Amino acid sequence: MRQPLVAGNWKMNGSVASVRELLAGIKAGVAGVPRCEVAVCPPFIYIPQASAELAGSPVFWGAQNLSTEAAGAFTGEIAASMLLDFGCTYVIVGHSERRTLYGEDDDVVAAKFAVARAAGLKPILCVGETLGEREQGITEQVIARQLDAVMAMQGAAVLADGVIAYEPVWAIGTGKTATPAQAQEVHAFIRGRVASQAPEVAAGLRILYGGSMKPGNAPELMAQPDIDGGLIGGASLVASEFLGICQAAHESV
Ligand code: 13P
């Protein structure tokens, strides 16, 4: 049995005041969704605040990115050890916004995954195709390439107890959600590809869906056999919406 995980990717949003309010709202509701693991990924600068405000609560926190380097002259970067220093459990790697806006290729993403794993963080590996790639019928090729880059660097065992987020780029922040059937098809493909190298790892792998997930569409998505939770953007900035998605995950098991 895989415990569902719902993680909020706040992206570049928030202020000290709004973070305080959002975390208070999530903390107030999290006791109602005990079968769902809940995590938030604030911008780096609000991680100390999250760690202080979430200490003692069941809510985990993490980062949206990390450096491939351990320390040194890398202006503007944040190392895995720094995330651990502030109690991070998770770190998102390979989000499509990092890949497209900041030029992170499969090798960089695989290196970040490896560094996070080695440090004891739990990387959430994002994969997903663009609209053009879906229309060309190469969705599975794209996902396979993104996934294989990580497995090639370290072997499929590196995904043990891992988390992958399938985020079709065309569904991110657009209000367009993959249908439950479309998402399930890709989730099953991901699990199958990992299973071809490591069946036990694949069985325990949590595969989250991301892309315009809301309380309204979450129950149907969560009901799919290979969807184990969500990576939530916009709706994670409003406590009631985020908790509504957590509720759907809680009820799906
Ligand atoms: P939205 O939920 O805003 O579509 O964003 C999804 C996402 O990119 C999460 O990482």
Side-chain angles (χ1 to χ4, degrees):
M1 172 64 82
R2 297 183 292 269
Q3 186 189 15
L5 168 64
V6 173
N9 174 8
W10 294 0
K11 306 191 180 182
M12 197 175 72
N13 293 291
S15 64
V16 169
S18 73
V19 166
R20 185 179 304 128
E21 187 186 330
L22 179 53
L23 292 177
I26 294 170
K27 276 200 294 185
V30 73
V33 295
R35 294 200 293 277
C36 174
E37 186 181 336
V38 179
V40 294
C41 297
F44 286 130
I45 201 161
Y46 298 116
I47 288 174
Q49 186 182 350
S51 89
E53 294 183 9
L54 292 174
S57 88
V59 181
F60 293 91
W61 60 93
Q64 302 170 14
N65 185 25
L66 83 168
S67 174
T68 53
E69 306 296 332
F74 302 102
T75 302
E77 293 292 290
I78 300 282
S81 62
M82 300 172 183
L83 300 181
L84 290 169
D85 226 3
F86 284 91
C88 288
T89 298
Y90 289 101
V91 59
I92 297 169
V93 298
H95 191 280
S96 67
E97 287 149 21
R98 301 290 326 163
R99 291 179 191 261
T100 57
L101 302 174
Y102 300 98
E104 293 190 7
D105 62 16
D106 289 331
D107 291 340
V108 168
V109 173
K112 290 188 171 189
F113 189 97
V115 164
R117 246 339 260 245
L121 291 160
K122 295 183 179 177
I124 299 174
L125 171 67
C126 298
V127 298
E129 82 288 3
T130 62
L131 183 60
E133 290 162 342
R134 177 161 280 267
E135 287 173 349
Q136 285 173 62
I138 57 168
T139 296
E140 291 190 351
Q141 275 165 260
V142 171
I143 306 287
R145 193 200 71 225
Q146 294 171 335
L147 203 50
D148 289 357
V150 170
M151 295 198 284
M153 189 174 276
Q154 291 197 294
V158 78
L159 291 169
D161 300 318
V163 183
I164 290 177
Y166 168 55
E167 300 205 307
V169 178
W170 48 273
I172 295 177
T174 59
K176 287 187 200 156
T177 322
T179 64
Q182 280 175 324
Q184 167 58 26
E185 194 180 4
V186 178
H187 282 231
F189 172 76
I190 292 169
R191 199 176 308 284
R193 192 149 188 108
V194 176
S196 67
Q197 295 194 29
E200 283 173 22
V201 169
L205 185 65
R206 292 189 288 182
I207 308 175
L208 316 183
Y209 170 78
S212 299
M213 203 190 253
K214 305 274 183 282
N217 58 28
E220 254 198 307
L221 287 158
M222 302 286 187
Q224 302 301 312
D226 288 296
I227 298 185
D228 306 310
L231 184 58
I232 319 301
S236 74
L237 299 172
V238 180
S240 60
E241 287 198 31
F242 185 60
L243 287 165
I245 296 169
C246 297
Q247 180 77 32
H250 165 77
E251 285 171 6
S252 72
V253 287

